[in-house]
Amino acid sequence: MSATAELATEIRPFHVEFADEALDDLRRRIASTNWPERETVGDQSQGVPLAMIQELASYWMTDYDWRTCEAKLNALPQFVTEIDGLDIHFIHVRSQHEDALPLVVNHGWPGSIVEQLKIIDRLANPAAHGASVADAFHVVIPSMPGYGFSGKPTSTGWGPERMARAWAELMERLGYDRYLAQGGDWGAFVVDQMGLQAPEGLIAIHTNMPATVPADVDKASLAGEPPPPGLSKEERRAYEQLIRTYKQVEYARMMAARPQTLYGIADSPVGLAAWLLDHNDADGQPAATVVSALDRPTSNTGALTRDELLDNITLYWLTNTGVSASRLYWEYKGGFFNVKGVSIPVAVTVFPGEQYQAPRSWAEQAYPNLIYFNEVDRGGHFAAWEEPELFSAELRAAFRSLRPTNGGPS
């Protein structure tokens, strides 16, 4: 290998450190926000309410401490490597257990690697959390291109398909010849593409936002038409949830059509925060889980907190990735919840607060090699963030049959 090629594939340590001036500038910009009048309705149908965002902005400006998040990140092994001409940032935590399975975990929008911080030790060091050492994972969490500390694409083409190839390259570069992949939100699109591409070494995928909707149901729901006949009770419920979801994705349509127009979220911290907060889940828009976290300063159970939300928003601000992250919606031209044709082993966890609850009947048709399916009783679209203990337990259970000690491939 030439010196140039070696340099391109080099894995370099990464350390997070933003200057005090950047944080001072953030506070100044929050203080100088040009506020509009309050909404003309008594609910959240017009978007993030003025009182809600002003309260968050006040806390962000005066009490929130980014350095706490920065310290958490720097306590983890972080790296950067160039893949397909772009710097890719990732966290890589190797378990102390020799039989641990390598796992690459994919975040989505409006998230980042911050979403997965609470699951890392639970997966890599399960005994410390009351689980078996036999269920340990080596954990790899990349920042998607245009997000966080990864490079920002300067040309088109960085959609889920290309990311899937990049993650396969990353796992090979880390020396893993057999590994697993997990994803939700955009990460679910990426792992579906990984499953389609079936790179050598990929054993199976787990998704918490599965693509299971049959073609006739997908066509009808996108058009807002009555459901096809013959749906079961669970399938009819899923259909109605799809109809509701498609009525609440104005943010996605804007990013898919005109991401470059969103200059306001690169110029105003409050504008960015409101944009990232106004993201629907199964309980309403803005996302109910996010809204409830605004009033939760701490949590003993791992539930989402106000500071964790601001960690994510502040990461977007300090890296100026509001617009670059939005372009992923423009890049992707495929369907959303429609069947993709994955034939490798697939595990599915259905969270009740997801945008739609995939019925087992659809999952079995969409993923003919379905090795695990479970409906849990709590959690939603931001599952790893909302319910880190439950989410980690699901990954352990989902992939348990694939471990060599349980008869899986060696």
Side-chain angles (χ1 to χ4, degrees), residues 19 61 69 74 79 118 138 140 142 157 170 179 184 273 275-276 362-363 398:
M61 180 176 60
C69 180
N74 286 329
F79 305 90
K118 292 184 288 189
H138 301 305
V140 179
L170 175 61
Y179 59 90
W275 185 253
L276 297 181
W362 288 0

Side-chain angles (χ1 to χ4, degrees), residues 249-305:
V249 289
E250 288 81 3
Y251 63 93
R253 294 190 179 101
M254 180 63 186
M255 289 186 287
R258 311 289 287 176
Q260 193 64 27
T261 298
L262 298 172
Y263 293 100
I265 65 175
D267 185 61
S268 165
V270 169
L272 175 68
W275 185 253
L276 297 181
L277 289 175
D278 201 359
H279 182 276
N280 76 297
D281 60 12
D283 297 312
Q285 186 173 345
T289 299
V290 171
V291 171
S292 65
L294 296 176
D295 296 321
R296 188 179 299 118
T298 61
S299 171
N300 294 323
T301 64
L304 191 57
T305 67

Side-chain angles (χ1 to χ4, degrees), residues 181-406:
Q182 195 287 325
D185 194 80
W186 278 110
F189 290 69
V190 175
V191 298
D192 265 341
Q193 290 300 321
M194 293 181 75
L196 279 173
Q197 295 167 12
E200 185 178 357
L202 179 61
I203 306 169
I205 65 172
H206 174 278
T207 175
N208 55 287
M209 197 182 79
T212 69
V213 182
D216 58 338
V217 178
D218 189 54
K219 180 180 178 181
S221 61
L222 285 169
E225 298 173 350
L231 298 184
S232 68
K233 179 181 177 181
E234 291 76 16
E235 292 167 347
R236 180 65 181 256
R237 177 192 65 187
Y239 181 84
E240 292 171 352
Q241 291 170 335
L242 289 167
I243 293 292
R244 178 207 59 221
T245 291
Y246 292 141
K247 291 180 179 179
Q248 296 180 323
V249 289
E250 288 81 3
Y251 63 93
R253 294 190 179 101
M254 180 63 186
M255 289 186 287
R258 311 289 287 176
Q260 193 64 27
T261 298
L262 298 172
Y263 293 100
I265 65 175
D267 185 61
S268 165
V270 169
L272 175 68
W275 185 253
L276 297 181
L277 289 175
D278 201 359
H279 182 276
N280 76 297
D281 60 12
D283 297 312
Q285 186 173 345
T289 299
V290 171
V291 171
S292 65
L294 296 176
D295 296 321
R296 188 179 299 118
T298 61
S299 171
N300 294 323
T301 64
L304 191 57
T305 67
R306 177 178 55 193
D307 275 11
E308 288 170 346
L309 286 175
L310 283 174
D311 290 343
N312 184 62
I313 295 169
T314 306
L315 176 60
Y316 270 81
W317 176 260
L318 293 174
T319 56
N320 191 19
T321 49
V323 172
S324 60
S326 301
R327 293 195 187 101
L328 179 54
Y329 285 82
W330 184 91
E331 287 285 353
Y332 183 67
K333 307 303 181 186
F336 283 84
F337 302 116
N338 61 306
V339 176
K340 305 299 191 299
V342 178
S343 59
I344 71 166
V346 176
V348 171
T349 299
V350 177
F351 288 87
E354 188 49 86
Q355 292 179 331
Y356 88 107
Q357 291 173 272
R360 178 185 286 269
S361 58
W362 288 0
E364 290 173 341
Q365 295 173 47
Y367 301 116
N369 201 347
L370 186 69
I371 59 170
Y372 181 87
F373 181 91
N374 191 34
E375 296 184 66
V376 295
D377 61 358
R378 63 188 187 278
H381 188 70
F382 308 97
W385 225 9
E386 300 171 42
E387 297 287 346
E389 188 60 53
L390 177 59
F391 184 85
S392 300
E394 279 298 294
L395 292 192
R396 297 185 201 114
F399 292 132
R400 191 166 292 141
S401 66
L402 299 176
R403 296 181 182 272
T405 53
N406 294 323

Side-chain angles (χ1 to χ4, degrees), residues 12-28:
R12 314 184 302 274
F14 183 84
H15 183 81
V16 181
E17 187 173 6
F18 288 98
D20 289 339
E21 289 78 7
L23 300 176
D24 292 340
D25 178 64
L26 167 61
R27 297 185 188 100
R28 282 195 298 269

Side-chain angles (χ1 to χ4, degrees), residues 114-184:
V114 169
E115 281 186 81
Q116 280 83 32
L117 293 183
K118 292 184 288 189
I119 66 172
I120 295 173
D121 195 64
R122 288 176 166 90
L123 295 176
N125 187 20
H129 301 273
S132 170
V133 297
D135 289 326
F137 296 92
H138 301 305
V139 183
V140 179
I141 305 175
S143 297
M144 293 195 298
Y147 288 69
F149 304 112
S150 281
K152 300 175 184 179
T154 57
S155 59
T156 61
W158 274 102
E161 300 87 350
R162 193 169 178 181
M163 289 185 202
R165 294 191 293 271
W167 296 171
E169 169 64 25
L170 175 61
M171 297 304 278
E172 180 181 351
R173 194 172 294 182
L174 292 175
Y176 295 130
D177 57 6
R178 53 188 304 272
Y179 59 90
L180 307 158
Q182 195 287 325

